């Protein structure tokens, strides 16, 4: 019985809620004080879609030109991801590669498309 009585006396001291002191804020009229924990839910985002031209370096052989385009595509994807570190990239595509040969050198290029979620507010 003694243990229960001691427990009932000590328990209210452990179950206190934390309080926040609010000073120098006028309380007349409509006043709202809001405290949130975690991420800010009031942010608004906009989806931006754009495209870039991706071109690999010219090479004497078509196989080398395709390899150069693949390298340029990987570099472009890496650059887009680095510029948007908040993981807002929704889609990222290098597009279809087309190759052409001029003056004994082949060049491969494509139109890369991306879609990003950008914070507006």
């Amino acid at each position: 019985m003694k243990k229960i009585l001691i427990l009932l006396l000590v328990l209210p001291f452990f179950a206190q809620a934390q309080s926040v002191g609010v000073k120098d804020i006028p309380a007349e009229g409509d006043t709202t004080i809001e405290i949130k924990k975690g991420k800010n839910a009031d942010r608004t985002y906009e989806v931006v879609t754009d495209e870039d031209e991706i071109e690999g370096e010219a090479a004497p052989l078509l196989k080398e030109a395709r390899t150069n385009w693949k390298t340029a595509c990987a570099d472009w994807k890496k650059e887009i991801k680095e510029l948007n570190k908040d993981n807002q990239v929704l889609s990222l595509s290098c597009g279809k590669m087309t190759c052409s040969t001029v003056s004994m050198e082949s060049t491969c290029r494509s139109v890369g498309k991306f879609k990003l979620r950008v914070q507006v507010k």
Side-chain angles (χ1 to χ4, degrees):
M1 185 71 171
K2 241 182 189 181
K3 289 183 182 179
I4 293 175
L5 185 60
I6 293 173
L7 185 63
L8 289 175
L9 290 174
V10 175
L11 187 63
F13 294 109
F14 290 109
Q16 290 181 354
Q18 290 190 4
S19 62
V20 176
V22 180
K23 299 178 182 175
D24 301 326
I25 296 178
E28 60 266 346
D30 292 335
T31 302
T32 302
I33 299 172
E34 188 174 345
I35 299 172
K36 291 183 180 180
K37 184 177 179 182
K39 293 186 177 184
N40 188 355
D42 293 336
R43 294 181 181 160
T44 55
Y45 294 93
E46 182 178 305
V47 176
V48 176
T49 304
D50 204 358
E51 51 187 43
D52 284 331
E53 186 173 322
I54 302 169
E55 183 175 323
E57 291 187 29
L61 298 175
L62 188 59
K63 184 176 181 179
E64 290 177 24
R66 288 181 179 152
T67 303
N68 292 343
W69 176 84
K70 288 179 184 178
T71 303
C73 174
D75 291 343
W76 177 76
K77 284 182 176 182
K78 182 179 177 184
E79 182 181 338
I80 294 289
K81 289 179 182 178
E82 284 177 357
L83 291 174
N84 196 351
K85 293 187 178 191
D86 295 333
N87 296 326
Q88 304 297 330
V89 177
L90 299 176
S91 67
L92 194 58
S93 170
C94 287
K96 186 177 180 181
M97 170 181 52
T98 56
C99 299
S100 60
T101 304
V102 176
S103 300
M104 301 293 287
E105 286 194 328
S106 298
T107 305
C108 296
R109 59 180 56 90
S110 67
V111 177
K113 297 180 181 183
F114 60 91
K115 193 181 286 188
L116 305 174
R117 185 176 69 155
V118 180
Q119 182 179 344
V120 178
K121 182 179 176 185

